[in-house]
Amino acid sequence: MPEAPLPIVDFSNVAKSFGAVRALAGVDLTVRPGECLGLVGHNGAGKSTLMNVLAGTLSPDSGEMRILGEDIRQRYSVALAHQMGIRCVFQELSLCPNLSVAENTRVVHPTIKGPGWRGRAGALILGKLDEIFPGHGIQPGDHVGDLSIGKRQMVEIARAFTVTAAPLHLVILDEPTSSLDAVTAGQLLQYMRKAIGQGASCILISHVLGEILDYSDRIVVMKDGGVVAERPATGFSRDTLVAAMGTVARAPAAGQAAQAADRREERPLSVRVRPKGRPGGAALEARRGEVIGLAGLAGHGQTATLLQVFRAARGRDPDTEVTGAVALVAGDRQTDGIFPLWSISRNIGVRSLRRMLRGGLIDPAAEAEMAEDWKRKIGIKTPDMNDNILSLSGGNQQKALFARALGSDADIVLMDDPMRGVDVGTKLEVYDLVRAEAARGRTFLWYTTEMDELKNCDHVFVFRNGRIVADLARAELTEEKVLHSSFTEDA
Amino acid sequence: MLAQVLSPRALRAALPAASLVVLLAAIFYIQPRAMSYFGLNLMLQYAVPIALATIAQMFVIAINDLDLSIGPFVGLTASIGATLLASSPVLGVLALIGCVAAYAALGALIHWRNLPSIVVTLGMSFVWLGVAVIILPTPGGTAPGWIKAVMGVKLPYVPFPIVAAAIIALVVHVVLMRSAYGAVLRGAGGNARAIGRAGWSLLKIRMVMYAAAGTFGVLSGLSLIGLTSAADAHIADRYTLYSIAGVILGGGEFVGGRVSPIGAVLGALTLTLTGSFLIFLKISPDWQIGAQGAILIIVLALRALIKRREG
């Protein structure tokens, strides 16, 4: 029998601490050639830290690291990782917005230089984009800053798969589908399988458990900085996977959302909006205490509509009726959500400053009280709410943004796909919170690309090309109907 | 095609050139005699040193820093040029190389200790000025003959400052905007973490950018004494603000690595010409700085309008 090929990655007992926080408590990890390793776990379970160690951006405190059989622990770096064929698509995008697509490609390929480099870099990335995402509509000369977040993610992913001098052994995909719509996400996952068929390996990190179960060969579950389960993907089901992560599996709260629907007409109106710019299409109506879903493929006018409502609440807009104060939970939390230099409590309190005034100044006691209150209610994992917001993991940052909106005086809460890259446990908690707040009379407008989340809505409006093309009550909502409305034109 | 020409990006790129054309047209309307080889030469005389200082500032702004010491630094290099370089060329050249190295070291210090560039360069501006005063306590000295010869070149048809400005803009454009390493340098202003993760040394990038700024600062000082034939430690104090204004007028942004060498040179030319324009309008020199500020505000307001359309 021939000897088994060397594993690409062979980590044993890798540990890393940040001050008192133990991010990795002795992790073993192996990736073999030609396999897709699914990596799941809560936010803060240590996945991102482990991937940063693997990509060379963090060096571990102790442990053994072998890449392709070579012991590289002492001299590992980003450059060496790249040379050894390890690429990473990080959760926060790592493209330069001021450079073109071709220039961003060149940045990761030091060998593309000399006359004509721009053309070669452009051809390289365009070829890969065509291969992974046919019909992507991206030009190599486009400035990344002008592209939508979904297209940026497509560029980032395609860039990770491009090959020049260094070989390609392993691509780490950290939440790769979080900003992609269903079609492009499918294209990516299929391409990933094809690349694996050609001998490459992938580590797939995703909170969409279906992707993990369907597309990986082996699944590793992490919890509290360690690996708690590792089995072939066929050995897991959705429920056992969730159980392994430590959350109790639970059927979606079907039915309970529907009860309000019949008495709809009696409730006072809180929002009526007709998307601007595109004539035709229906208007969106939300009544008090309703959770309204904005569905459809990513980037078809849902965010624009939310912003239209947001603006109409402060100014006058003949097309938009808004009764009451609004708060927005941003989806792109790095750019639109958090104040990166502020503490967690300030980030939560900023929408409610007027309430916390005493003699024209902010009352620190009131601010601290609000922060502690929401730390409890929404379960933000931190030793101290006065720590910087960036000390939180991604999911906990998002919780803080929810706390900001829910803790404010807003009657209407706009949510711009806020669950991107948030773990299942947090999601379930937030769903409950949304239902509870809706029952107390708040109205939610919720843009989401995930079917599971739409099931929490009383009413769903499907967007296509900036227009509302379908209006589904809770009772008639099915995935087929949403998909059908999203695609009618193309089908 | 038309949509492409009228796109906000294209409009923004055209704004520096458009401001310059409008200003030139206004000058020619008020004073038709300025529309001549001699007139342009006279009005744009100081465009070369200002353009070089603006380019120096642009290198620093491209990586989200700000250089508040470029004016006194130009004054220092001018003082060295008018004394050491003229009396003992070897020593003078070494001193100027030392200046560039000092700039690179500043970049390294700012990166290494993660200091705010504004504070460091503000402090350094007094150091440069102090050294310049030590070298040249009273205005004077003499510029080396070859510098005066270069700056005094008379070209057929097109005045020298215009040709020189075009060459500066093109050379820097090729190096920073078209070269492969230039993309990495600008990328460090757009998303430094991404550049670091791609395996590039951010320390080296910052040192390269500061060394480039120092080099252009030296060139600015030398070209300046080529025009004035003598130096003064305070000769270029205003250049700090001129250079920042020039970069911004030329379409650059304070953060995000969005800069344009061609725009920066056009911005420097515009700033140079506002001086002449205001003289032709018979506005007293007391008001000139204020009037220049007003022009800057108008152009920036136009840009904000375009940006609003973009968003």
Side-chain angles (χ1 to χ4, degrees):
Chain A
M1 199 180 138
E3 209 177 321
L6 276 174
I8 292 176
V9 176
D10 190 4
F11 281 11
S12 59
N13 212 16
V14 170
K16 174 82 187 169
S17 299
F18 297 103
V21 182
R22 195 123 196 247
L24 291 179
V27 173
D28 298 345
L29 182 79
T30 328
V31 183
R32 287 183 279 272
E35 77 165 345
C36 174
L37 181 75
L39 185 59
V40 293
H42 271 208
N43 290 323
K47 295 170 309 217
S48 293
T49 311
L50 183 61
M51 291 308 108
N52 274 305
V53 168
L54 185 51
T57 44
L58 281 178
S59 66
D61 302 331
S62 63
E64 203 170 308
M65 294 165 63
R66 285 176 186 282
I67 307 271
L68 295 165
E70 244 182 280
D71 183 4
I72 40 72
R73 157 110 159 80
Q74 295 308 323
R75 57 193 177 92
Y76 203 48
S77 68
V78 184
L80 187 64
H82 192 261
Q83 270 172 38
M84 302 193 86
I86 294 177
R87 315 288 176 79
C88 195
V89 178
F90 285 102
Q91 202 174 337
E92 337 75 85
L93 299 175
S94 43
L95 296 172
C96 299
N98 59 332
L99 301 186
S100 72
V101 172
E103 287 169 338
N104 267 293
T105 309
R106 184 269 180 257
V107 161
V108 295
H109 291 294
T111 50
I112 302 181
K113 56 185 174 192
W117 66 273
R118 201 174 291 264
R120 276 178 282 137
L124 182 70
I125 188 75
L126 194 62
K128 201 47 90 175
L129 277 168
D130 287 342
E131 201 180 339
I132 306 177
F133 305 107
H136 51 80
I138 300 168
Q139 296 296 319
D142 288 349
H143 276 247
V144 167
D146 298 341
L147 298 178
S148 69
I149 186 164
K151 283 188 174 172
R152 284 187 213 185
Q153 194 154 22
M154 285 152 74
V155 172
E156 171 120 24
I157 290 165
R159 187 177 74 163
F161 281 100
T162 53
V163 178
T164 48
L168 177 72
H169 291 304
L170 172 68
V171 178
I172 301 164
L173 296 163
D174 190 354
E175 292 292 341
T177 57
S178 58
S179 301
L180 300 181
D181 58 54
V183 177
T184 40
Q187 288 174 337
L188 163 66
L189 293 167
Q190 264 156 33
Y191 177 81
M192 186 189 80
R193 288 308 320 182
K194 191 177 140 203
I196 287 166
Q198 291 162 354
S201 304
C202 283
I203 293 179
L204 178 64
I205 301 176
S206 177
H207 288 308
V208 184
L209 299 182
E211 289 175 5
I212 296 275
L213 287 165
D214 292 348
Y215 288 94
S216 44
D217 303 305
R218 199 155 55 90
I219 298 178
V220 166
V221 183
M222 286 187 74
K223 190 183 169 185
D224 299 333
V227 172
V228 290
E230 183 182 350
R231 253 179 276 165
T234 45
F236 278 109
S237 72
R238 197 189 166 81
D239 288 343
T240 54
L241 201 54
V242 173
M245 281 192 283
T247 18
V248 183
R250 198 174 60 167
Q256 76 177 48
Q259 45 196 306
D262 26 300
R263 277 175 289 118
R264 186 153 200 250
E265 301 307 318
E266 296 164 19
R267 292 169 171 241
L269 186 79
S270 34
V271 178
R272 179 185 287 131
V273 54
R274 193 181 289 277
K276 275 192 201 300
R278 302 275 181 157
L284 180 152
E285 271 185 25
R287 293 175 183 275
R288 235 188 103 169
E290 280 189 323
V291 181
I292 300 294
L294 281 66
L297 299 179
H300 276 246
Q302 298 95 332
T303 303
T305 305
L306 289 181
L307 292 178
Q308 191 181 330
V309 172
F310 187 78
R311 274 192 290 267
R314 346 203 111 192
R316 211 172 281 182
D317 183 347
D319 300 341
T320 316
E321 238 177 278
V322 182
T323 59
V326 300
L328 177 80
V329 183
D332 188 352
R333 60 176 168 268
Q334 300 301 338
T335 23
D336 303 335
I338 59 168
F339 294 95
L341 297 178
W342 289 8
S343 70
I344 307 165
S345 36
R346 284 198 177 173
N347 263 289
I348 292 177
V350 66
R351 177 65 179 74
S352 313
L353 290 180
R354 216 166 291 153
R355 218 175 49 204
M356 302 191 294
L357 287 186
R358 207 204 308 163
L361 299 174
I362 300 170
D363 179 6
E367 195 178 54
E369 191 192 336
M370 178 177 178
E372 283 306 321
D373 191 26
W374 280 96
K375 180 185 174 184
R376 227 181 24 256
K377 271 192 206 164
I378 206 166
I380 296 173
K381 279 186 200 151
T382 176
D384 187 349
M385 293 295 277
N386 291 318
D387 285 351
N388 184 282
I389 183 95
L390 295 180
S391 67
L392 296 178
S393 68
N396 276 303
Q397 287 179 19
Q398 197 65 52
K399 280 188 185 177
L401 294 186
F402 270 108
R404 182 194 291 170
L406 296 177
S408 73
D409 58 354
D411 310 304
I412 301 158
V413 179
L414 311 173
M415 304 199 286
D416 181 14
D417 202 4
M419 302 295 197
R420 267 179 228 163
V422 172
D423 68 289
V424 181
T426 307
K427 280 183 183 173
L428 294 178
E429 283 168 36
V430 172
Y431 298 162
D432 284 345
L433 208 60
V434 166
R435 298 274 6 137
E437 291 288 326
R440 283 166 49 188
R442 272 197 168 142
T443 311
F444 288 83
L445 295 192
W446 187 356
Y447 161 43
T448 171
T449 44
E450 284 181 40
M451 196 57 212
D452 284 354
E453 297 188 349
L454 291 177
K455 289 181 182 149
N456 286 285
C457 299
D458 299 308
H459 215 85
V460 171
F461 293 87
V462 184
F463 282 68
R464 193 180 69 231
N465 290 331
R467 256 175 260 161
I468 295 174
V469 291
D471 171 355
L472 305 168
R474 175 71 189 81
E476 45 185 8
L477 176 74
T478 60
E479 185 156 15
E480 288 70 40
K481 276 190 187 164
V482 172
L483 285 177
H484 185 72
S485 319
S486 310
F487 284 105
T488 329
E489 231 161 6
D490 317 348
Chain B
M1 184 63 202
L2 189 68
Q4 217 164 30
V5 172
L6 290 177
S7 79
R9 179 174 290 280
L11 278 179
R12 233 181 95 170
L15 192 58
S19 327
L20 183 61
V21 168
V22 168
L23 190 62
L24 267 179
I27 289 174
F28 293 158
Y29 177 75
I30 296 169
Q31 185 52 269
R33 264 176 296 175
M35 201 179 355
S36 64
Y37 182 96
F38 181 74
L40 281 172
N41 207 1
L42 200 64
M43 284 193 298
L44 288 171
Q45 213 180 13
Y46 286 94
V48 176
I50 293 178
L52 288 166
T54 306
I55 292 286
Q57 184 69 258
M58 187 202 68
F59 281 117
V60 176
I61 288 182
I63 46 171
N64 304 343
D65 284 354
L66 200 59
D67 183 0
L68 295 184
S69 68
I70 191 71
F73 181 76
V74 170
L76 169 64
T77 58
S79 302
I80 293 174
T83 53
L84 275 180
L85 192 65
S87 56
S88 54
V90 178
L91 211 59
V93 169
L94 283 178
L96 291 175
I97 291 174
C99 288
V100 173
Y103 245 70
L106 274 185
L109 177 75
I110 286 168
H111 181 83
W112 177 47
R113 299 304 305 167
N114 198 13
L115 299 168
S117 61
I118 293 182
V119 175
V120 175
T121 55
L122 186 63
M124 285 311 290
S125 69
F126 298 105
V127 175
W128 302 137
L129 194 61
V131 176
V133 169
I134 292 171
I135 292 175
L136 193 66
T138 50
T142 33
W146 57 272
I147 296 180
K148 279 192 272 191
V150 169
M151 292 308 291
V153 164
K154 290 234 176 337
L155 297 171
Y157 310 116
V158 188
F160 172 73
I162 294 178
V163 176
I167 291 173
I168 295 165
L170 282 177
V171 167
V172 180
H173 180 80
V174 168
V175 172
L176 190 65
M177 307 303 281
R178 305 297 300 179
S179 82
Y181 191 58
V184 176
L185 293 175
R186 282 179 292 128
N191 186 345
R193 216 150 75 126
I195 297 291
R197 275 176 174 174
W200 300 95
S201 158
L202 292 171
L203 173 70
K204 189 180 150 200
I205 289 173
R206 194 164 247 120
M207 288 177 71
V208 166
M209 288 305 240
Y210 272 82
T215 307
F216 277 84
V218 167
L219 293 176
S220 173
L222 295 183
S223 62
L224 187 54
I225 54 167
L227 295 167
T228 58
S229 10
D232 169 11
H234 290 282
I235 194 169
D237 284 358
R238 276 191 192 176
Y239 277 28
T240 302
L241 290 179
Y242 276 167
S243 66
I244 297 171
V247 174
I248 302 305
L249 264 179
E253 307 249 349
F254 282 118
V255 287
R258 285 175 217 271
V259 294
S260 154
I262 295 177
V265 169
L266 290 174
L269 292 180
T270 310
L271 277 176
T272 319
L273 281 178
T274 46
S276 316
F277 176 61
L278 297 170
I279 292 170
F280 290 142
L281 281 181
K282 301 198 171 62
I283 290 176
S284 98
D286 297 340
W287 290 93
Q288 280 196 20
I289 299 244
Q292 277 180 338
I295 289 175
L296 195 63
I297 289 171
I298 291 169
V299 175
L300 293 184
L302 279 176
R303 205 165 88 185
L305 275 180
I306 294 174
K307 204 167 181 180
R308 192 169 301 169
R309 270 184 52 192
E310 216 167 346

